[in-house]
Amino acid sequence: MKLKNTRILITGASGGIGGALAHALDQRGACLLLHGRNADVLHHIQQNLLNPECHQIVIADLCVDSERQKLVDAVAQLGGVDILINNAGINYFAWLENQSEHQIQQQLLLNIQAPILLTRDILPHLHKPGMIMNIGSSFGGIGYAGYSVYCASKFAIRGFSEALGRELAGTSIKVLHFAPRATQTTLNSAAVCAMNAELGTKSDSAEYVAQQVVCALEKERVRSWLGWPERFFVKLNALFPNLVDKALVKQRHVIARHAKVSTDKENLR
Ligand SMILES: NC(=O)c1ccc[n+]([C@@H]2O[C@H](COP(=O)([O-])OP(=O)(O)OC[C@H]3O[C@@H](n4cnc5c(N)ncnc54)[C@H](OP(=O)(O)O)[C@@H]3O)[C@@H](O)[C@H]2O)c1
């Protein structure tokens, strides 16, 4: 799809990947509805875009039904959108037994329930041809210790994307699933960055991820997985999960040490 003059709603535009995406899509001439919870950050992003007057801001906590409705109302007022990008997300890195009920609920609410409900409510306002892009993760294809709840949400958003895409086949609305690997944003705590450094896990800049998202939108690529060896391990995990079990069990003691640091820091807050 050509992105010039398309209207795009980006959730989580105040975050690392969302902010970089706002810049990349603005450069392509798209008109953006920038969502987040932090008005100051969103205004700063908007003012630094090439065409600030083309874009609008909507503030809402996506975990609250009445707030999520603000996005639907804003889209309806604009006469619809061409693309919805479900990007907002959170994670807590910790062993399951150390995650509070609130942390578990927030991850499931924001990463899977909110995008499903938002997609349902935006669908009647989505132009045809139109696209829905769901931002997943490598952890939507590989179960990883310390991320059991986050993985559950990201496996779910992948299943949702695939099933909805098949449901909408022939309607000229496409559903794209885009899975970044570790990306340099504040989503990853110091403990996660230290673990990634120790394990040699590579990460991408948010700007690189944003460019790849733009490419996937332009090419209407239904499934995108970023990074090597992550893409290979996702395929291997689907075919031979026992092999990946064996590879990951060797990392378990390192992951456990960093997960403990992460939990201790959370408890001190
Ligand atoms: N960073 C990575 O390593 C990585 C890897 C793979 C996939 N991803 C996925 O990429 C997406 C973006 O992640 P990121 O790295 O850019 O994270 P980020 O920098 O932490 O940004 C998260 C965004 O989500 C928004 N958000 C958080 N809680 C919210 C709530 N209750 N209601 C509404 N919005 C809320 C934040 O808004 P406020 O700023 O207002 O709080 C922010 O805009 C997520 O879906 C994430 O799972 C990230």
Side-chain angles (χ1 to χ4, degrees), residues 12-18 35-38 60-63 87-90 106 110-111 135-138 150 154 180-188:
S14 50
I17 292 175
H35 156 268
R37 289 176 304 176
N38 189 323
D61 185 334
L62 290 177
C63 295
N87 165 69
I90 44 166
Q106 287 297 108
L110 184 65
N111 298 355
I135 303 295
S137 164
S138 306
Y150 182 67
K154 291 298 182 180
R181 65 173 174 183
T183 308
Q184 295 136 25
T185 73
T186 53
L187 183 76
N188 297 313

Side-chain angles (χ1 to χ4, degrees), residues 38 48 54 116-117 146 160 195 202 251:
N38 189 323
N48 284 294
C54 291
I116 289 177
L117 291 171
F160 171 66
M195 176 181 73
K202 292 197 185 114
Q251 298 186 353

Side-chain angles (χ1 to χ4, degrees), residues 145-164:
Y147 282 107
S148 56
V149 180
Y150 182 67
C151 285
S153 70
K154 291 298 182 180
F155 270 70
I157 197 80
R158 178 161 66 92
F160 171 66
S161 307
E162 190 170 273
L164 185 67

Side-chain angles (χ1 to χ4, degrees), residues 179-253:
R181 65 173 174 183
T183 308
Q184 295 136 25
T185 73
T186 53
L187 183 76
N188 297 313
S189 63
V192 173
C193 295
M195 176 181 73
N196 286 346
E198 185 171 347
L199 294 173
T201 304
K202 292 197 185 114
S203 64
D204 295 315
S205 70
E207 290 70 27
Y208 172 77
V209 174
Q211 287 303 335
Q212 295 303 309
V213 168
V214 166
C215 193
L217 289 171
E218 286 177 336
K219 295 193 169 146
E220 303 185 14
R221 204 183 294 127
V222 172
R223 294 173 183 86
S224 307
W225 297 90
L226 287 195
W228 176 267
E230 288 78 2
R231 202 179 307 142
F232 167 73
F233 273 110
V234 165
K235 285 216 158 70
L236 189 68
N237 197 46
L239 292 172
F240 304 109
N242 293 349
L243 288 181
V244 179
D245 288 347
K246 280 185 191 142
L248 289 183
V249 86
K250 291 182 190 146
Q251 298 186 353
R252 189 183 175 280
H253 66 288

Side-chain angles (χ1 to χ4, degrees), residues 104-124:
I104 292 171
Q105 280 170 348
Q106 287 297 108
Q107 290 174 89
L108 297 177
L109 264 176
L110 184 65
N111 298 355
I112 183 65
Q113 185 169 318
I116 289 177
L117 291 171
L118 187 65
T119 301
R120 183 198 62 177
D121 295 344
I122 296 287
L123 260 176

Side-chain angles (χ1 to χ4, degrees), residues 9-196:
L9 166 58
I10 312 173
T11 69
S14 50
I17 292 175
L21 197 47
H23 282 281
L25 291 170
D26 169 64
Q27 281 165 8
R28 286 291 203 279
C31 306
L32 307 174
L33 190 51
L34 303 165
H35 156 268
R37 289 176 304 176
N38 189 323
D40 290 345
V41 174
L42 283 173
H43 281 118
H44 181 76
I45 290 173
Q46 183 184 20
Q47 288 317 311
N48 284 294
L49 297 177
L50 293 175
N51 306 297
E53 66 289 348
C54 291
H55 313 300
Q56 294 187 31
I57 284 174
V58 57
I59 309 293
D61 185 334
L62 290 177
C63 295
V64 178
D65 288 347
S66 56
E67 297 230 350
R68 209 175 43 249
Q69 184 60 33
K70 287 196 218 164
L71 272 76
V72 182
D73 294 343
V75 165
Q77 259 186 2
L78 287 170
V81 288
D82 302 287
I83 301 176
L84 162 64
I85 304 181
N86 285 309
N87 165 69
I90 44 166
N91 67 33
Y92 296 106
F93 169 57
W95 256 216
L96 178 63
E97 66 209 48
N98 295 324
Q99 299 212 16
S100 69
E101 194 168 333
H102 178 73
Q103 288 173 329
I104 292 171
Q105 280 170 348
Q106 287 297 108
Q107 290 174 89
L108 297 177
L109 264 176
L110 184 65
N111 298 355
I112 183 65
Q113 185 169 318
I116 289 177
L117 291 171
L118 187 65
T119 301
R120 183 198 62 177
D121 295 344
I122 296 287
L123 260 176
H125 305 285
L126 202 59
H127 298 157
K128 290 183 181 167
M131 289 194 286
I132 298 156
M133 175 182 271
N134 294 319
I135 303 295
S137 164
S138 306
F139 288 166
I142 301 172
Y144 203 80
Y147 282 107
S148 56
V149 180
Y150 182 67
C151 285
S153 70
K154 291 298 182 180
F155 270 70
I157 197 80
R158 178 161 66 92
F160 171 66
S161 307
E162 190 170 273
L164 185 67
R166 289 170 181 170
E167 191 171 311
L168 295 174
T171 66
S172 71
I173 292 178
K174 281 199 172 166
V175 183
L176 318 183
H177 174 257
F178 184 97
R181 65 173 174 183
T183 308
Q184 295 136 25
T185 73
T186 53
L187 183 76
N188 297 313
S189 63
V192 173
C193 295
M195 176 181 73
N196 286 346

